[in-house]
Amino acid sequence: MDPAQIEFTAEKESIVILPNFTEDKIYLISGEVGPFQPQVPVTVPLWLAVNLKQRRKCRIVTPDWMDVDILKDKKAAELEMKLFSPPLHPHYLELSTIILGVSNEVRNGDEVRTLIKDIWDVRSAKLRKSINDMIHHDTGSGRPLSHVEISNITVLELNTIRKFFTSSLDHLHNLRNQAERCLTNPLYN
């Protein structure tokens, strides 16, 4: 998947809005949403919330995980832990970027944006370190690792390293095979 496809997938996530209009249920392919009553919370897909917000038909209720205190705790936990902790949300970066882009009602929006970026940076650094450790890992048998398990990363985080990672592993595999052939071929000894 490319980043646009990942964002498209994230826009299907549910979010709570406070509409300022009255409407019966709306029937979508993904299911029904509503009914809509002024200032009565209703859960809708993010794409619909963005559309209604842009038409000034609702307020988007900021998700709990976008609270500054929760983000500070999450950043501290990420810095403290060697492994990845569970993400705030499977699409935390995409959702926060979209919400902050359309809504000026997010309390401490600039600080939230900075903390989300900090968490992303810490997790990206861990991911790069994990890859580096895996590439340089020696199993003791002279054979490289055949697989690795990385848990608690999001699709977007995985996508940022996918092309580089697979290409690097291909090159590493080719170099190791070439070295093994050289060591076993009597012409090179």
Side-chain angles (χ1 to χ4, degrees), residues 95-109:
L95 266 59
S96 62
T97 302
I98 293 168
I99 292 168
L100 289 165
V102 297
S103 180
N104 57 358
E105 298 155 352
V106 176
R107 193 168 14 146
N108 302 318

Side-chain angles (χ1 to χ4, degrees), residues 6 12 26 35 49-50 56 59 92 99 125 147 151 178 181:
I6 295 170
K12 296 177 185 177
I26 298 174
V50 168
R56 295 187 172 98
R59 279 187 40 236
Y92 75 95
I99 292 168
H147 69 281
S151 55
Q178 186 65 28
R181 277 193 296 265

Side-chain angles (χ1 to χ4, degrees), residues 33-56:
V33 293
F36 300 90
Q37 296 295 323
Q39 301 307 307
V40 176
V42 63
T43 302
V44 299
L46 180 61
W47 65 265
L48 181 58
V50 168
N51 182 282
L52 292 172
K53 177 66 180 167
Q54 289 171 336
R55 294 179 9 212
R56 295 187 172 98

